[in-house]
Amino acid sequence: VFGAFEHYLNTTSYHRLCKFGTKVTAMTGMANSTLIQCSTPNHPRGEDFGISISFDGGMHWSTSLLFEFRPPVHITSFSPTKVPSTGDVAISLVLDNCEARMNLRCRFGPSIELAVWVSTSMIQCITPPHSPGFVSLALLNDKDQIIGEKIPIYVHDAPRIHTLYPRFGVLTG
């Protein structure tokens, strides 16, 4: 979890703490002078907890903001598992523990595209052109973090017609 704050006090790292409800953890990092990082402890699903921070070893705590713990996104099925190297194929993914309001993107190898919601539990990812072989398909949230598990997709050479004989025919077939 990243949190932005104001009025930073320059203290040593062992004094910086995060509190999730009543559970206290050490800050895991500072991205810059106004952005901290905390590791979330395990919590039951659906519970909201106030998050607050301390820069003086817990003597004083900031006001808290609400944070909701959610279960991890799970890909329950996907299809197809093989796509041509030319791309432009919709891969459908059925998701569990995901809300249709989430802005998801699909990372197919190095390429990133927007995911399209088809229903409340299904998205589609359109494949870009890619060289033959296995490639990982991953879902990204709006912070470019992978959610759910990576899935292997096999990219095969697209079929091509080299010769056609005869090159004409009658209208009746």
Side-chain angles (χ1 to χ4, degrees):
V1 172
F2 286 93
F5 62 92
E6 297 175 352
H7 310 299
Y8 169 60
L9 298 173
N10 189 12
T11 61
T12 56
S13 61
Y14 64 88
H15 289 198
R16 298 182 216 147
L17 301 172
C18 302
K19 184 165 59 171
F20 294 80
T22 59
K23 295 184 179 182
V24 176
T25 64
M27 286 184 199
T28 54
M30 295 194 66
N32 60 39
S33 63
T34 62
L35 187 64
I36 61 157
Q37 183 176 5
C38 299
S39 291
T40 59
N42 290 331
H43 275 287
R45 177 186 182 179
E47 292 188 37
D48 293 342
F49 287 90
I51 297 179
S52 53
I53 58 173
S54 173
F55 289 105
D56 61 6
M59 298 288 291
H60 301 92
W61 291 93
S62 69
T63 56
S64 64
L65 294 175
L66 271 175
F67 180 83
E68 180 184 354
F69 287 88
R70 296 181 179 176
V73 173
H74 178 67
I75 299 169
T76 59
S77 65
F78 59 96
S79 176
T81 59
K82 299 174 184 172
V83 296
S85 58
T86 53
D88 203 29
V89 173
I91 297 178
S92 297
L93 297 97
V94 178
L95 308 175
D96 202 11
N97 300 328
C98 196
E99 296 180 16
R101 70 177 186 210
M102 292 179 74
N103 294 322
L104 299 179
R105 293 180 297 148
C106 307
R107 186 175 77 195
F108 192 81
S111 301
I112 298 175
E113 299 293 333
L114 286 176
V116 177
W117 284 97
V118 177
S119 71
T120 56
S121 61
M122 182 186 287
I123 63 166
Q124 286 187 333
C125 298
I126 306 299
T127 62
H130 197 278
S131 57
F134 279 98
V135 65
S136 290
L137 175 60
L139 294 180
L140 305 176
N141 64 13
D142 56 357
K143 305 288 186 220
D144 285 336
Q145 298 167 323
I146 294 176
I147 59 171
E149 57 278 0
K150 294 179 186 178
I151 56 174
I153 301 294
Y154 181 70
V155 179
H156 59 81
D157 281 321
R160 292 183 295 205
I161 299 176
H162 294 283
T163 306
L164 182 63
Y165 180 82
R167 296 188 67 103
F168 60 89
V170 295
L171 292 175
T172 56

